[in-house]
Amino acid sequence: MTASPNRGSEEPRRCGWCRRVLPSQGSVGRPRLYCGQACRQRAYEQRSATAKAGLPGDVVLVSRNELDGLQDRLYQLRCALEDAQTLLAEKPTKAELERQLAELIRSTGRLDRLWVTERSG
């Protein structure tokens, strides 16, 4: 029997649909892929829809609104980084650096919740 790649690793296992961290599991049985039946069902529906459409399994479908929102956030982040680069060339004060760092943090929004990884199954 081979060990699961995530068992014993630092990174927590995540739900294959919603990407929430899965609770730790004992060493017996198959590792959980989803946090609950609703996520399992949504993943099945997505696989079925992409198969019926003739799309490959690695296709990521997002709505236009989601894509536009992500592109807006990435643009804001790029602008904040460019502003920081300009500021660093001007020998900024501590207060100016703190303001720019706060802007960088704000512009990332919740990018840390964006998990694009291959779904198993």
Side-chain angles (χ1 to χ4, degrees):
M1 175 184 247
T2 60
S4 170
N6 282 346
R7 285 190 183 163
S9 71
E10 299 284 327
E11 190 172 328
R13 293 183 57 83
R14 294 187 174 272
C15 174
W17 180 255
C18 70
R19 308 309 299 157
R20 286 188 209 128
V21 174
L22 293 172
S24 57
Q25 182 176 335
S27 61
V28 178
R30 278 191 303 183
R32 287 178 76 166
L33 299 177
Y34 305 100
C35 59
Q37 183 58 36
C39 286
R40 181 186 312 275
Q41 181 66 27
R42 296 296 87 74
Y44 168 77
E45 290 168 357
Q46 172 105 19
R47 287 192 308 272
S48 296
T50 55
K52 284 180 186 175
L55 299 171
D58 63 348
V59 167
V60 176
L61 300 174
V62 295
S63 71
R64 170 55 63 187
N65 285 341
E66 290 171 322
L67 180 59
D68 289 345
L70 177 59
Q71 288 175 324
D72 287 346
R73 288 164 49 197
L74 290 172
Y75 178 76
Q76 290 170 1
L77 178 58
R78 188 187 71 173
C79 290
L81 287 169
E82 287 174 356
D83 290 347
Q85 186 177 23
T86 301
L87 183 65
L88 288 174
E90 298 172 353
K91 298 192 183 213
T93 66
K94 181 180 178 195
E96 290 171 327
L97 285 173
E98 288 172 344
R99 269 194 305 277
Q100 189 57 44
L101 182 56
E103 176 61 22
L104 276 171
I105 292 168
R106 187 202 59 74
S107 67
T108 61
R110 293 299 300 180
L111 286 175
D112 61 327
R113 294 201 57 202
L114 177 64
W115 295 96
V116 179
T117 59
E118 182 179 341
R119 291 190 175 151
S120 54

